[in-house]
Amino acid sequence: MPTLRRWSFVLALACISSAVPAQAEQLKVGISGSPPFVIKDGSHFSGISLEIWRRVAEDNNISYKLIQQPTPKAGIEAVDDGSIDVLVGPISITSRRLAIPGIDFTQPYFLSKEGILLPLKTPSIFSRVQVFFGWAVISSVLVLISVLFVVGSLIWMAERQKNSEQFPRDWLPGISSGMWFALVTLTTVGYGDKAPVTRTGRGITGAWMVISLIAVSSLTASLASAFTLFLSGATETAIDSPQQLSNRRVAVVEGTDGMELAENREMRVVPAPNLASAVQLVMSRKADALIFDRHSIRYHLKNNPDLAVRLAPFNVSDETYGFVLKPTSPLRTPMGVSILKLQQSGEAENIANKFLD
């Protein structure tokens, strides 16, 4: 009987202990990224990623300790080999990262864009004048001269017999006179010093008057573009689209998805250990541009307003940020639910605006 009572007591304790949730072990949470997502002040961390993680941890009664990681790539590798349980930060969800068997992502908690930082270049006299020697202007001038030569030759051949006083029979002075007449007609100056008298000459002149309207429009557009560049101090080689970054020297922060993006688009990667160093590469002309999270660039420029750089008005790609964990982690679904709750309630947006405004 005593043995039966003893086993009954043990069984009762087991039932009671199973009914009460066991205190979860303290998670090892890696953290990596740049402001405004990860802001370090001494030993204290804050930022968009940290605030959202803390709300998720509170919602799931998660006990954790933060372990700083040198780069997002190093943090992902630490999750893969089990050194940490979760990686928190602006970690882009990319196809290459999703293909790693040992890691997975939570629901995205932030939608961002990959921006471009460009140097501010003080225009010199040479850089201003060289726009007039661009192919657009030169090609327009060459086409114009060729057309004037053709029209001038036709006028000369039509007029040289009956109007040799204005269009000499000798080919060089005759064609020169014909080109002068074609130019005067093109610009609608109308000096009146030369005029065709034959029907053929007048027919050619009439056709040229109509055609010259198109020629003037094309030439005016090219010259207007050149004068705009001249007055603004810009150059024709300025980067004004993502396609122009191909084969350019592009600064990227080591361990970020910017390296993958630059390699996929055939850019010449110039690595830097952090955002501040990458910005210096652009300012010192060791890199033609910088690829990084647009919000992080804006935050950096806000805190360093005197930097001779500018944020390009275009983006390279859209990015979604999520937390990294093991595919077998029991926290994957609960964390995803908590993130969705924060988004649906508008709390995630409020957290982001607090740091971005």
Side-chain angles (χ1 to χ4, degrees), residues 304-350:
N304 299 275
D306 297 328
L307 296 176
V309 290
R310 64 183 177 90
L311 186 59
F314 57 89
N315 302 306
V316 181
S317 66
D318 294 331
E319 302 287 337
T320 51
Y321 295 156
F323 300 140
V324 185
L325 70 174
K326 300 289 280 186
T328 56
S329 173
L331 293 173
R332 184 178 181 277
T333 298
M335 287 172 61
V337 171
S338 298
I339 290 172
L340 289 176
K341 286 165 58 178
L342 287 173
Q343 291 175 339
Q344 292 169 355
S345 65
E347 193 62 26
E349 184 178 359
N350 293 336

mmCIF file of all heavy atoms in Angstrom, residues 304-350:
data_model
loop_
_atom_site.group_PDB
_atom_site.id
_atom_site.type_symbol
_atom_site.label_atom_id
_atom_site.label_comp_id
_atom_site.label_asym_id
_atom_site.label_seq_id
_atom_site.Cartn_x
_atom_site.Cartn_y
_atom_site.Cartn_z
ATOM 1 N N ASN A 304 24.000 64.451 -39.960
ATOM 2 C CA ASN A 304 25.246 65.004 -40.527
ATOM 3 C C ASN A 304 24.879 65.877 -41.725
ATOM 4 O O ASN A 304 25.163 65.541 -42.876
ATOM 5 C CB ASN A 304 26.182 63.878 -40.960
ATOM 6 C CG ASN A 304 26.587 62.978 -39.803
ATOM 7 O OD1 ASN A 304 27.526 63.259 -39.064
ATOM 8 N ND2 ASN A 304 25.852 61.881 -39.640
ATOM 9 N N PRO A 305 24.246 67.025 -41.481
ATOM 10 C CA PRO A 305 23.714 67.847 -42.580
ATOM 11 C C PRO A 305 24.768 68.517 -43.453
ATOM 12 O O PRO A 305 24.443 69.015 -44.525
ATOM 13 C CB PRO A 305 22.873 68.899 -41.846
ATOM 14 C CG PRO A 305 23.490 68.995 -40.487
ATOM 15 C CD PRO A 305 23.974 67.623 -40.159
ATOM 16 N N ASP A 306 26.011 68.554 -43.013
ATOM 17 C CA ASP A 306 27.048 69.259 -43.767
ATOM 18 C C ASP A 306 27.795 68.372 -44.761
ATOM 19 O O ASP A 306 28.737 68.834 -45.414
ATOM 20 C CB ASP A 306 28.067 69.896 -42.798
ATOM 21 C CG ASP A 306 27.424 70.941 -41.899
ATOM 22 O OD1 ASP A 306 26.462 71.596 -42.362
ATOM 23 O OD2 ASP A 306 27.864 71.083 -40.740
ATOM 24 N N LEU A 307 27.418 67.121 -44.876
ATOM 25 C CA LEU A 307 28.100 66.222 -45.799
ATOM 26 C C LEU A 307 27.815 66.609 -47.249
ATOM 27 O O LEU A 307 26.674 66.940 -47.602
ATOM 28 C CB LEU A 307 27.652 64.776 -45.568
ATOM 29 C CG LEU A 307 28.006 64.160 -44.207
ATOM 30 C CD1 LEU A 307 27.423 62.760 -44.090
ATOM 31 C CD2 LEU A 307 29.512 64.123 -43.998
ATOM 32 N N ALA A 308 28.849 66.577 -48.082
ATOM 33 C CA ALA A 308 28.710 66.963 -49.493
ATOM 34 C C ALA A 308 28.211 65.784 -50.321
ATOM 35 O O ALA A 308 28.871 65.310 -51.254
ATOM 36 C CB ALA A 308 30.051 67.468 -50.023
ATOM 37 N N VAL A 309 27.040 65.299 -49.985
ATOM 38 C CA VAL A 309 26.418 64.185 -50.695
ATOM 39 C C VAL A 309 24.927 64.478 -50.825
ATOM 40 O O VAL A 309 24.392 65.353 -50.153
ATOM 41 C CB VAL A 309 26.632 62.841 -49.958
ATOM 42 C CG1 VAL A 309 28.077 62.387 -50.034
ATOM 43 C CG2 VAL A 309 26.181 62.960 -48.505
ATOM 44 N N ARG A 310 24.269 63.708 -51.681
ATOM 45 C CA ARG A 310 22.828 63.877 -51.854
ATOM 46 C C ARG A 310 22.185 62.514 -52.065
ATOM 47 O O ARG A 310 22.806 61.586 -52.592
ATOM 48 C CB ARG A 310 22.516 64.783 -53.049
ATOM 49 C CG ARG A 310 22.954 64.213 -54.398
ATOM 50 C CD ARG A 310 22.693 65.196 -55.533
ATOM 51 N NE ARG A 310 23.169 64.696 -56.826
ATOM 52 C CZ ARG A 310 22.428 63.973 -57.660
ATOM 53 N NH1 ARG A 310 21.172 63.687 -57.338
ATOM 54 N NH2 ARG A 310 22.918 63.554 -58.811
ATOM 55 N N LEU A 311 20.944 62.409 -51.635
ATOM 56 C CA LEU A 311 20.182 61.174 -51.806
ATOM 57 C C LEU A 311 19.496 61.211 -53.159
ATOM 58 O O LEU A 311 18.770 62.155 -53.476
ATOM 59 C CB LEU A 311 19.152 61.036 -50.692
ATOM 60 C CG LEU A 311 18.354 59.738 -50.613
ATOM 61 C CD1 LEU A 311 19.282 58.539 -50.445
ATOM 62 C CD2 LEU A 311 17.353 59.805 -49.478
ATOM 63 N N ALA A 312 19.748 60.201 -53.980
ATOM 64 C CA ALA A 312 19.163 60.162 -55.326
ATOM 65 C C ALA A 312 17.647 60.070 -55.236
ATOM 66 O O ALA A 312 17.108 59.465 -54.310
ATOM 67 C CB ALA A 312 19.719 58.972 -56.105
ATOM 68 N N PRO A 313 16.937 60.650 -56.204
ATOM 69 C CA PRO A 313 15.464 60.619 -56.178
ATOM 70 C C PRO A 313 14.869 59.275 -56.595
ATOM 71 O O PRO A 313 13.665 59.125 -56.634
ATOM 72 C CB PRO A 313 15.084 61.716 -57.169
ATOM 73 C CG PRO A 313 16.230 61.779 -58.129
ATOM 74 C CD PRO A 313 17.458 61.469 -57.306
ATOM 75 N N PHE A 314 15.710 58.304 -56.925
ATOM 76 C CA PHE A 314 15.225 56.991 -57.340
ATOM 77 C C PHE A 314 15.777 55.919 -56.408
ATOM 78 O O PHE A 314 16.732 56.149 -55.657
ATOM 79 C CB PHE A 314 15.636 56.692 -58.783
ATOM 80 C CG PHE A 314 17.125 56.762 -59.011
ATOM 81 C CD1 PHE A 314 17.923 55.645 -58.829
ATOM 82 C CD2 PHE A 314 17.727 57.945 -59.400
ATOM 83 C CE1 PHE A 314 19.296 55.701 -59.030
ATOM 84 C CE2 PHE A 314 19.103 58.016 -59.607
ATOM 85 C CZ PHE A 314 19.881 56.896 -59.412
ATOM 86 N N ASN A 315 15.157 54.744 -56.431
ATOM 87 C CA ASN A 315 15.577 53.611 -55.607
ATOM 88 C C ASN A 315 16.026 52.458 -56.496
ATOM 89 O O ASN A 315 15.666 52.388 -57.674
ATOM 90 C CB ASN A 315 14.427 53.154 -54.710
ATOM 91 C CG ASN A 315 13.923 54.268 -53.824
ATOM 92 O OD1 ASN A 315 14.691 54.890 -53.094
ATOM 93 N ND2 ASN A 315 12.619 54.536 -53.883
ATOM 94 N N VAL A 316 16.786 51.559 -55.908
ATOM 95 C CA VAL A 316 17.264 50.396 -56.652
ATOM 96 C C VAL A 316 16.269 49.240 -56.554
ATOM 97 O O VAL A 316 15.978 48.576 -57.541
ATOM 98 C CB VAL A 316 18.647 49.952 -56.141
ATOM 99 C CG1 VAL A 316 19.141 48.753 -56.927
ATOM 100 C CG2 VAL A 316 19.649 51.082 -56.270
ATOM 101 N N SER A 317 15.736 49.016 -55.358
ATOM 102 C CA SER A 317 14.803 47.903 -55.181
ATOM 103 C C SER A 317 14.015 48.085 -53.896
ATOM 104 O O SER A 317 14.369 48.902 -53.042
ATOM 105 C CB SER A 317 15.556 46.567 -55.144
ATOM 106 O OG SER A 317 16.378 46.507 -53.989
ATOM 107 N N ASP A 318 12.945 47.315 -53.759
ATOM 108 C CA ASP A 318 12.167 47.277 -52.522
ATOM 109 C C ASP A 318 12.720 46.174 -51.628
ATOM 110 O O ASP A 318 13.208 45.150 -52.108
ATOM 111 C CB ASP A 318 10.691 47.005 -52.823
ATOM 112 C CG ASP A 318 10.047 48.151 -53.591
ATOM 113 O OD1 ASP A 318 10.491 49.299 -53.421
ATOM 114 O OD2 ASP A 318 9.105 47.895 -54.357
ATOM 115 N N GLU A 319 12.638 46.389 -50.323
ATOM 116 C CA GLU A 319 13.154 45.424 -49.366
ATOM 117 C C GLU A 319 12.113 45.168 -48.280
ATOM 118 O O GLU A 319 11.372 46.081 -47.895
ATOM 119 C CB GLU A 319 14.441 45.948 -48.704
ATOM 120 C CG GLU A 319 15.562 46.289 -49.664
ATOM 121 C CD GLU A 319 16.218 45.060 -50.253
ATOM 122 O OE1 GLU A 319 16.120 43.987 -49.628
ATOM 123 O OE2 GLU A 319 16.823 45.161 -51.335
ATOM 124 N N THR A 320 12.039 43.927 -47.786
ATOM 125 C CA THR A 320 11.222 43.597 -46.625
ATOM 126 C C THR A 320 12.139 43.065 -45.528
ATOM 127 O O THR A 320 13.024 42.248 -45.793
ATOM 128 C CB THR A 320 10.155 42.540 -46.966
ATOM 129 O OG1 THR A 320 10.779 41.419 -47.618
ATOM 130 C CG2 THR A 320 9.099 43.126 -47.883
ATOM 131 N N TYR A 321 11.934 43.556 -44.305
ATOM 132 C CA TYR A 321 12.765 43.163 -43.172
ATOM 133 C C TYR A 321 11.999 42.207 -42.265
ATOM 134 O O TYR A 321 10.812 42.410 -41.980
ATOM 135 C CB TYR A 321 13.192 44.386 -42.360
ATOM 136 C CG TYR A 321 14.095 45.333 -43.113
ATOM 137 C CD1 TYR A 321 14.177 46.680 -42.759
ATOM 138 C CD2 TYR A 321 14.873 44.898 -44.178
ATOM 139 C CE1 TYR A 321 15.006 47.551 -43.441
ATOM 140 C CE2 TYR A 321 15.701 45.758 -44.866
ATOM 141 C CZ TYR A 321 15.768 47.091 -44.491
ATOM 142 O OH TYR A 321 16.590 47.954 -45.181
ATOM 143 N N GLY A 322 12.698 41.180 -41.806
ATOM 144 C CA GLY A 322 12.118 40.223 -40.868
ATOM 145 C C GLY A 322 13.163 39.771 -39.868
ATOM 146 O O GLY A 322 14.361 40.047 -40.025
ATOM 147 N N PHE A 323 12.735 39.079 -38.816
ATOM 148 C CA PHE A 323 13.654 38.505 -37.844
ATOM 149 C C PHE A 323 14.062 37.110 -38.313
ATOM 150 O O PHE A 323 13.256 36.380 -38.899
ATOM 151 C CB PHE A 323 13.005 38.428 -36.464
ATOM 152 C CG PHE A 323 12.577 39.771 -35.930
ATOM 153 C CD1 PHE A 323 11.380 39.919 -35.250
ATOM 154 C CD2 PHE A 323 13.369 40.889 -36.113
ATOM 155 C CE1 PHE A 323 10.983 41.152 -34.757
ATOM 156 C CE2 PHE A 323 12.984 42.128 -35.632
ATOM 157 C CZ PHE A 323 11.777 42.261 -34.953
ATOM 158 N N VAL A 324 15.301 36.739 -38.038
ATOM 159 C CA VAL A 324 15.841 35.453 -38.488
ATOM 160 C C VAL A 324 15.811 34.451 -37.336
ATOM 161 O O VAL A 324 16.162 34.783 -36.198
ATOM 162 C CB VAL A 324 17.288 35.617 -39.000
ATOM 163 C CG1 VAL A 324 17.806 34.306 -39.576
ATOM 164 C CG2 VAL A 324 17.360 36.720 -40.048
ATOM 165 N N LEU A 325 15.407 33.241 -37.613
ATOM 166 C CA LEU A 325 15.405 32.160 -36.630
ATOM 167 C C LEU A 325 15.498 30.819 -37.352
ATOM 168 O O LEU A 325 15.474 30.761 -38.572
ATOM 169 C CB LEU A 325 14.173 32.223 -35.750
ATOM 170 C CG LEU A 325 12.787 31.890 -36.343
ATOM 171 C CD1 LEU A 325 11.744 31.886 -35.231
ATOM 172 C CD2 LEU A 325 12.377 32.852 -37.423
ATOM 173 N N LYS A 326 15.589 29.756 -36.590
ATOM 174 C CA LYS A 326 15.689 28.415 -37.190
ATOM 175 C C LYS A 326 14.335 27.996 -37.755
ATOM 176 O O LYS A 326 13.282 28.357 -37.197
ATOM 177 C CB LYS A 326 16.141 27.403 -36.135
ATOM 178 C CG LYS A 326 17.494 27.684 -35.509
ATOM 179 C CD LYS A 326 18.638 27.440 -36.466
ATOM 180 C CE LYS A 326 18.969 25.979 -36.557
ATOM 181 N NZ LYS A 326 20.184 25.727 -37.377
ATOM 182 N N PRO A 327 14.329 27.213 -38.836
ATOM 183 C CA PRO A 327 13.044 26.743 -39.397
ATOM 184 C C PRO A 327 12.251 25.902 -38.412
ATOM 185 O O PRO A 327 11.022 25.853 -38.486
ATOM 186 C CB PRO A 327 13.473 25.923 -40.616
ATOM 187 C CG PRO A 327 14.854 26.369 -40.933
ATOM 188 C CD PRO A 327 15.477 26.784 -39.636
ATOM 189 N N THR A 328 12.950 25.213 -37.479
ATOM 190 C CA THR A 328 12.279 24.332 -36.513
ATOM 191 C C THR A 328 11.916 25.041 -35.219
ATOM 192 O O THR A 328 11.413 24.411 -34.288
ATOM 193 C CB THR A 328 13.197 23.143 -36.196
ATOM 194 O OG1 THR A 328 14.466 23.636 -35.711
ATOM 195 C CG2 THR A 328 13.441 22.298 -37.433
ATOM 196 N N SER A 329 12.171 26.341 -35.144
ATOM 197 C CA SER A 329 11.910 27.074 -33.895
ATOM 198 C C SER A 329 10.418 27.105 -33.585
ATOM 199 O O SER A 329 9.601 27.460 -34.448
ATOM 200 C CB SER A 329 12.445 28.500 -34.001
ATOM 201 O OG SER A 329 12.066 29.263 -32.859
ATOM 202 N N PRO A 330 10.017 26.772 -32.348
ATOM 203 C CA PRO A 330 8.593 26.838 -31.973
ATOM 204 C C PRO A 330 8.079 28.273 -31.878
ATOM 205 O O PRO A 330 6.873 28.485 -31.773
ATOM 206 C CB PRO A 330 8.568 26.148 -30.605
ATOM 207 C CG PRO A 330 9.950 26.320 -30.059
ATOM 208 C CD PRO A 330 10.865 26.274 -31.245
ATOM 209 N N LEU A 331 9.001 29.258 -31.932
ATOM 210 C CA LEU A 331 8.604 30.660 -31.829
ATOM 211 C C LEU A 331 8.197 31.260 -33.179
ATOM 212 O O LEU A 331 7.694 32.386 -33.215
ATOM 213 C CB LEU A 331 9.758 31.490 -31.256
ATOM 214 C CG LEU A 331 10.132 31.206 -29.805
ATOM 215 C CD1 LEU A 331 11.398 31.963 -29.436
ATOM 216 C CD2 LEU A 331 8.995 31.602 -28.880
ATOM 217 N N ARG A 332 8.414 30.525 -34.248
ATOM 218 C CA ARG A 332 8.179 31.091 -35.578
ATOM 219 C C ARG A 332 6.740 31.563 -35.747
ATOM 220 O O ARG A 332 6.492 32.708 -36.136
ATOM 221 C CB ARG A 332 8.522 30.057 -36.648
ATOM 222 C CG ARG A 332 8.405 30.558 -38.068
ATOM 223 C CD ARG A 332 8.824 29.473 -39.062
ATOM 224 N NE ARG A 332 8.736 29.955 -40.428
ATOM 225 C CZ ARG A 332 7.616 29.978 -41.145
ATOM 226 N NH1 ARG A 332 6.488 29.573 -40.588
ATOM 227 N NH2 ARG A 332 7.622 30.423 -42.379
ATOM 228 N N THR A 333 5.791 30.708 -35.443
ATOM 229 C CA THR A 333 4.381 31.078 -35.606
ATOM 230 C C THR A 333 3.938 32.129 -34.580
ATOM 231 O O THR A 333 3.313 33.132 -34.958
ATOM 232 C CB THR A 333 3.478 29.839 -35.518
ATOM 233 O OG1 THR A 333 3.819 28.947 -36.588
ATOM 234 C CG2 THR A 333 2.017 30.226 -35.642
ATOM 235 N N PRO A 334 4.233 31.955 -33.278
ATOM 236 C CA PRO A 334 3.830 32.986 -32.313
ATOM 237 C C PRO A 334 4.409 34.371 -32.621
ATOM 238 O O PRO A 334 3.718 35.381 -32.485
ATOM 239 C CB PRO A 334 4.361 32.453 -30.978
ATOM 240 C CG PRO A 334 4.476 30.985 -31.170
ATOM 241 C CD PRO A 334 4.834 30.789 -32.611
ATOM 242 N N MET A 335 5.673 34.421 -33.053
ATOM 243 C CA MET A 335 6.277 35.707 -33.395
ATOM 244 C C MET A 335 5.598 36.319 -34.619
ATOM 245 O O MET A 335 5.349 37.531 -34.675
ATOM 246 C CB MET A 335 7.778 35.527 -33.641
ATOM 247 C CG MET A 335 8.586 35.288 -32.371
ATOM 248 S SD MET A 335 10.316 34.861 -32.696
ATOM 249 C CE MET A 335 10.867 36.324 -33.562
ATOM 250 N N GLY A 336 5.295 35.473 -35.624
ATOM 251 C CA GLY A 336 4.610 35.973 -36.807
ATOM 252 C C GLY A 336 3.245 36.550 -36.467
ATOM 253 O O GLY A 336 2.843 37.597 -36.991
ATOM 254 N N VAL A 337 2.516 35.871 -35.562
ATOM 255 C CA VAL A 337 1.206 36.365 -35.136
ATOM 256 C C VAL A 337 1.341 37.711 -34.436
ATOM 257 O O VAL A 337 0.555 38.645 -34.669
ATOM 258 C CB VAL A 337 0.518 35.330 -34.214
ATOM 259 C CG1 VAL A 337 -0.745 35.916 -33.591
ATOM 260 C CG2 VAL A 337 0.193 34.064 -34.992
ATOM 261 N N SER A 338 2.339 37.840 -33.570
ATOM 262 C CA SER A 338 2.546 39.094 -32.841
ATOM 263 C C SER A 338 2.889 40.244 -33.793
ATOM 264 O O SER A 338 2.415 41.376 -33.609
ATOM 265 C CB SER A 338 3.657 38.912 -31.804
ATOM 266 O OG SER A 338 3.310 37.940 -30.841
ATOM 267 N N ILE A 339 3.713 39.954 -34.804
ATOM 268 C CA ILE A 339 4.082 40.996 -35.773
ATOM 269 C C ILE A 339 2.849 41.446 -36.556
ATOM 270 O O ILE A 339 2.633 42.654 -36.765
ATOM 271 C CB ILE A 339 5.176 40.469 -36.728
ATOM 272 C CG1 ILE A 339 6.497 40.313 -35.978
ATOM 273 C CG2 ILE A 339 5.363 41.421 -37.921
ATOM 274 C CD1 ILE A 339 7.583 39.613 -36.771
ATOM 275 N N LEU A 340 2.023 40.506 -36.963
ATOM 276 C CA LEU A 340 0.801 40.856 -37.698
ATOM 277 C C LEU A 340 -0.147 41.681 -36.827
ATOM 278 O O LEU A 340 -0.799 42.609 -37.305
ATOM 279 C CB LEU A 340 0.106 39.596 -38.199
ATOM 280 C CG LEU A 340 0.817 38.862 -39.354
ATOM 281 C CD1 LEU A 340 0.085 37.571 -39.694
ATOM 282 C CD2 LEU A 340 0.895 39.753 -40.589
ATOM 283 N N LYS A 341 -0.229 41.358 -35.551
ATOM 284 C CA LYS A 341 -1.073 42.121 -34.630
ATOM 285 C C LYS A 341 -0.568 43.562 -34.510
ATOM 286 O O LYS A 341 -1.366 44.511 -34.482
ATOM 287 C CB LYS A 341 -1.103 41.439 -33.259
ATOM 288 C CG LYS A 341 -1.957 40.171 -33.227
ATOM 289 C CD LYS A 341 -1.681 39.328 -31.999
ATOM 290 C CE LYS A 341 -1.923 40.073 -30.705
ATOM 291 N NZ LYS A 341 -1.685 39.192 -29.525
ATOM 292 N N LEU A 342 0.749 43.734 -34.450
ATOM 293 C CA LEU A 342 1.322 45.085 -34.372
ATOM 294 C C LEU A 342 1.018 45.878 -35.642
ATOM 295 O O LEU A 342 0.755 47.088 -35.590
ATOM 296 C CB LEU A 342 2.837 44.996 -34.158
ATOM 297 C CG LEU A 342 3.309 44.553 -32.772
ATOM 298 C CD1 LEU A 342 4.825 44.337 -32.780
ATOM 299 C CD2 LEU A 342 2.931 45.585 -31.724
ATOM 300 N N GLN A 343 1.069 45.198 -36.789
ATOM 301 C CA GLN A 343 0.790 45.886 -38.046
ATOM 302 C C GLN A 343 -0.686 46.248 -38.175
ATOM 303 O O GLN A 343 -1.037 47.350 -38.588
ATOM 304 C CB GLN A 343 1.237 45.013 -39.219
ATOM 305 C CG GLN A 343 2.750 44.853 -39.327
ATOM 306 C CD GLN A 343 3.166 43.891 -40.420
ATOM 307 O OE1 GLN A 343 2.381 43.052 -40.846
ATOM 308 N NE2 GLN A 343 4.411 43.998 -40.875
ATOM 309 N N GLN A 344 -1.546 45.323 -37.838
ATOM 310 C CA GLN A 344 -2.983 45.558 -37.970
ATOM 311 C C GLN A 344 -3.477 46.637 -37.020
ATOM 312 O O GLN A 344 -4.414 47.375 -37.341
ATOM 313 C CB GLN A 344 -3.742 44.248 -37.743
ATOM 314 C CG GLN A 344 -3.511 43.228 -38.850
ATOM 315 C CD GLN A 344 -4.052 41.853 -38.503
ATOM 316 O OE1 GLN A 344 -4.527 41.620 -37.385
ATOM 317 N NE2 GLN A 344 -3.980 40.931 -39.454
ATOM 318 N N SER A 345 -2.854 46.748 -35.866
ATOM 319 C CA SER A 345 -3.259 47.771 -34.901
ATOM 320 C C SER A 345 -2.646 49.136 -35.201
ATOM 321 O O SER A 345 -3.022 50.126 -34.581
ATOM 322 C CB SER A 345 -2.860 47.333 -33.485
ATOM 323 O OG SER A 345 -1.445 47.270 -33.363
ATOM 324 N N GLY A 346 -1.682 49.179 -36.135
ATOM 325 C CA GLY A 346 -1.011 50.433 -36.455
ATOM 326 C C GLY A 346 0.150 50.741 -35.539
ATOM 327 O O GLY A 346 0.823 51.773 -35.690
ATOM 328 N N GLU A 347 0.417 49.843 -34.575
ATOM 329 C CA GLU A 347 1.490 50.092 -33.625
ATOM 330 C C GLU A 347 2.862 50.016 -34.288
ATOM 331 O O GLU A 347 3.770 50.781 -33.932
ATOM 332 C CB GLU A 347 1.398 49.081 -32.476
ATOM 333 C CG GLU A 347 2.257 49.415 -31.268
ATOM 334 C CD GLU A 347 1.876 50.729 -30.613
ATOM 335 O OE1 GLU A 347 0.710 51.144 -30.744
ATOM 336 O OE2 GLU A 347 2.758 51.336 -29.979
ATOM 337 N N ALA A 348 3.031 49.109 -35.239
ATOM 338 C CA ALA A 348 4.316 49.004 -35.937
ATOM 339 C C ALA A 348 4.629 50.291 -36.686
ATOM 340 O O ALA A 348 5.775 50.774 -36.686
ATOM 341 C CB ALA A 348 4.288 47.818 -36.904
ATOM 342 N N GLU A 349 3.626 50.877 -37.323
ATOM 343 C CA GLU A 349 3.829 52.141 -38.045
ATOM 344 C C GLU A 349 4.147 53.276 -37.078
ATOM 345 O O GLU A 349 5.002 54.131 -37.367
ATOM 346 C CB GLU A 349 2.580 52.475 -38.853
ATOM 347 C CG GLU A 349 2.718 53.723 -39.705
ATOM 348 C CD GLU A 349 1.481 54.007 -40.523
ATOM 349 O OE1 GLU A 349 0.513 53.209 -40.436
ATOM 350 O OE2 GLU A 349 1.468 55.024 -41.244
ATOM 351 N N ASN A 350 3.490 53.287 -35.911
ATOM 352 C CA ASN A 350 3.770 54.331 -34.920
ATOM 353 C C ASN A 350 5.200 54.243 -34.406
ATOM 354 O O ASN A 350 5.867 55.261 -34.190
ATOM 355 C CB ASN A 350 2.792 54.207 -33.742
ATOM 356 C CG ASN A 350 1.369 54.531 -34.147
ATOM 357 O OD1 ASN A 350 1.140 55.247 -35.124
ATOM 358 N ND2 ASN A 350 0.404 53.998 -33.411
#
